[in-house]
Amino acid sequence: MSRFDGKAAVITGGGSGIGLAAARRLLDEGASVVISGRRKERLEQAAADTPQDRVLVFTVDVSVRAECDALIQAAVNRFGRIDTLINAAGMNLVGSVEDTSDEDWQRCVGADLSSVFYTTRAALPHLRATKGSIVNIGSVSSLGGGWSHAGYNAVKAAVANLTRSVAGDEGKHGVRANTVCPGLAGSNKSGLIM
């Protein structure tokens, strides 16, 4: 299949799980892909059997705005364009409001929400140019509250609403934005979703 020939995608959290599965699918269908995440070794392992002329591994802490800006610039420098941004980076946060420390709350907000805001803002000029798309990996937890995940539920709900806002604001520029809300997802030893 080659429906993404000539297209370029940036994926956060691309070293494992949903991000890795998305990267492999896009590469299989002809796209050039930036696989990004925090752990260089994991990213290199994920990209080891991919077409090296169409992949860029980029280490990034997505909770830091300047690093998100650098990620987007690296993608444009390497591939000349961005057609798709997939925000798959994130962390789970277990605990009630009372059980959640300030530090854990800030880490979850940074990894799951600020990252989406920063990468989206940096990528928008390029996505407008290509009439591109944004896919944010949310969670069924964003659709309703639940026990033992107060912070995570709140942050994922914010991702869903941020995505709606981006879709409303950017539709006039031809940019689409959607949130995918999976349930529990596991992976096998190669990091692929099962």
Side-chain angles (χ1 to χ4, degrees):
M1 297 180 7
S2 58
R3 65 184 174 141
F4 291 103
D5 282 352
K7 307 286 186 182
V10 175
I11 303 175
T12 68
S16 63
I18 293 171
L20 176 56
R24 289 185 184 223
R25 181 61 183 257
L26 285 165
L27 285 163
D28 286 348
E29 295 195 25
S32 297
V33 177
V34 179
I35 301 172
S36 70
R38 291 181 302 137
R39 297 182 186 98
K40 185 176 182 180
E41 302 79 25
R42 179 181 275 182
L43 295 171
E44 289 174 345
Q45 182 181 7
D49 61 349
T50 62
Q52 296 301 297
D53 61 322
R54 291 191 291 116
V55 71
L56 172 65
V57 168
F58 195 89
T59 306
V60 62
D61 178 346
V62 291
S63 69
V64 178
R65 193 202 93 194
E67 293 193 31
C68 292
D69 291 346
L71 165 65
I72 298 303
Q73 190 58 55
V76 173
N77 290 348
R78 174 69 184 272
F79 299 120
R81 61 188 294 143
I82 299 173
D83 299 274
T84 303
L85 170 64
I86 299 175
N87 286 301
M91 62 168 280
N92 191 6
L93 178 59
V94 178
S96 67
V97 169
E98 186 177 39
D99 297 333
T100 302
S101 70
D102 293 351
E103 294 77 18
D104 285 344
W105 168 254
Q106 291 301 327
R107 283 186 331 124
C108 189
V109 169
D112 290 17
L113 178 59
S114 295
S115 61
V116 173
F117 182 85
Y118 295 148
T119 57
T120 297
R121 185 170 59 187
L124 275 175
H126 309 288
L127 293 169
R128 288 173 183 158
T130 61
K131 307 291 189 230
S133 63
I134 301 165
V135 179
N136 294 323
I137 306 303
S139 170
V140 294
S141 296
S142 70
L143 306 175
W147 55 92
S148 300
H149 287 80
Y152 179 79
N153 294 344
V155 170
K156 286 300 187 177
V159 168
N161 211 30
L162 174 60
T163 306
R164 288 183 195 100
S165 296
V166 171
D169 292 340
E170 296 301 320
K172 65 186 173 207
H173 300 293
V175 177
R176 298 167 318 282
N178 290 280
T179 304
V180 177
C181 295
L184 289 175
S187 61
N188 62 20
K189 289 180 183 176
S190 67
L192 296 177
I193 301 300
M194 299 178 64

